[in-house]
Amino acid sequence: MRIGKERLKKVLAIIGDLFPDAHGELTYNTPFQLLVAVILSAQTTDKAVNKVTPNLWQRYPQIEDLASAEVSEVESYIKHIGLYKTKAKNIIKTAQLILETFDGQLPKTHKELESLPGVGRKTANVTLAEIYKIPAIAVDTHVARIAKRLNISSPTADVVEIEQDLMKKVPKKDWIVTHHRLIFFGRYHCLAKNPKCDICPVQSYCKYYKETYGRT
């Protein structure tokens, strides 16, 4: 049986006390730069993305600059992150489409954002939440891991199912902050390898802890 709303509320309050200032860690100056950074972060850490974007922004400060860029040159700026060849093509094409189709403005809907190359639901959710403050829960590897360990979602749930589980159990007004706090919890505490179970304040609520250490 999955964790209920009231029990989850208590868990999230504890995590909130642990990471009260959780926030997006990608660095950017404009809405379009955030979108590019999120596209670049696929299967790559935010830390790695933040190492390459300052030079990328300096070379291509405006969306128009990136739209007219040469793929090979963009590749040279992001070659130290995963899938850089595909990502270089995607961010150039995305810049072109935003100029051509959306008058240079970042779209405000999932459908429009997901029509852009390299933009899936997670990227769209992050963009809507960060730029437009539209309630959303983006499910990345950290959120997915925490949702399964805390028994919010089933062990076989995919990202869409996890997102739906969280949206059903968390008040809409708390979606954005919950997303950030779950990411911080997964990134800095409930790690994929060697999670800090021995000092974890949600031990008594955690299915993973009970199964791993035989605690009830």
Side-chain angles (χ1 to χ4, degrees):
M1 186 175 179
R2 305 272 84 81
I3 190 171
K5 288 182 179 180
E6 289 306 311
R7 194 170 175 83
L8 179 57
K9 183 178 180 181
K10 294 176 182 178
V11 171
L12 293 177
I14 294 170
I15 293 174
D17 289 338
L18 200 61
F19 298 105
D21 301 317
H23 58 278
E25 294 189 293
L26 290 169
T27 56
Y28 63 95
N29 301 309
T30 67
F32 176 69
Q33 287 182 356
L34 172 68
L35 177 63
V36 170
V38 181
I39 292 173
L40 295 180
S41 72
Q43 298 182 45
T44 304
T45 65
D46 287 0
K47 186 176 181 180
V49 173
N50 287 339
K51 287 182 179 179
V52 305
T53 49
N55 289 333
L56 187 70
W57 305 152
Q58 185 174 21
R59 176 65 181 86
Y60 308 106
Q62 303 299 325
I63 186 171
E64 292 84 0
D65 301 317
L66 195 56
S68 60
E70 293 291 334
V71 173
S72 59
E73 187 177 2
V74 173
E75 288 177 356
S76 72
Y77 284 95
I78 64 172
K79 63 184 179 181
H80 295 298
I81 63 173
L83 306 174
Y84 74 95
K85 288 183 177 292
T86 298
K87 291 174 180 177
K89 294 175 184 175
N90 283 343
I91 61 176
I92 291 172
K93 186 61 178 176
T94 287
Q96 293 169 348
L97 286 174
I98 289 177
L99 289 173
E100 295 167 4
T101 309
F102 302 106
D103 298 320
Q105 299 299 310
L106 228 56
K108 289 187 177 182
T109 69
H110 278 101
K111 183 178 180 179
E112 290 173 328
L113 281 167
E114 290 181 50
S115 71
L116 301 170
V119 179
R121 187 165 182 85
K122 185 202 84 169
T123 298
N125 277 335
V126 172
T127 303
L128 292 173
E130 289 294 291
I131 300 303
Y132 295 120
K133 307 306 177 187
I134 295 173
I137 298 177
V139 179
D140 67 353
T141 55
H142 299 299
V143 175
R145 181 171 68 257
I146 301 308
K148 293 178 180 181
R149 286 182 175 177
L150 290 177
N151 202 25
I152 298 168
S153 299
S154 76
T156 59
D158 60 27
V159 292
V160 174
E161 291 169 330
I162 293 169
E163 181 183 342
Q164 291 173 344
D165 288 338
L166 285 164
M167 290 192 297
K168 289 175 185 174
K169 296 176 180 179
V170 177
K172 192 172 184 177
K173 65 181 179 63
D174 296 329
W175 286 359
I176 296 176
V177 69
T178 295
H179 156 74
H180 287 310
R181 287 174 177 172
L182 288 178
I183 288 177
F184 265 54
F185 186 62
R187 184 175 288 162
Y188 302 113
H189 188 88
C190 190
L191 312 174
K193 296 180 180 179
N194 302 317
K196 301 176 183 179
C197 294
D198 56 329
I199 59 169
C200 185
V202 297
Q203 284 177 358
S204 61
Y205 298 93
C206 183
K207 178 184 177 184
Y208 175 84
Y209 179 79
K210 293 172 184 175
E211 291 178 346
T212 303
Y213 296 98
R215 305 293 175 83
T216 58

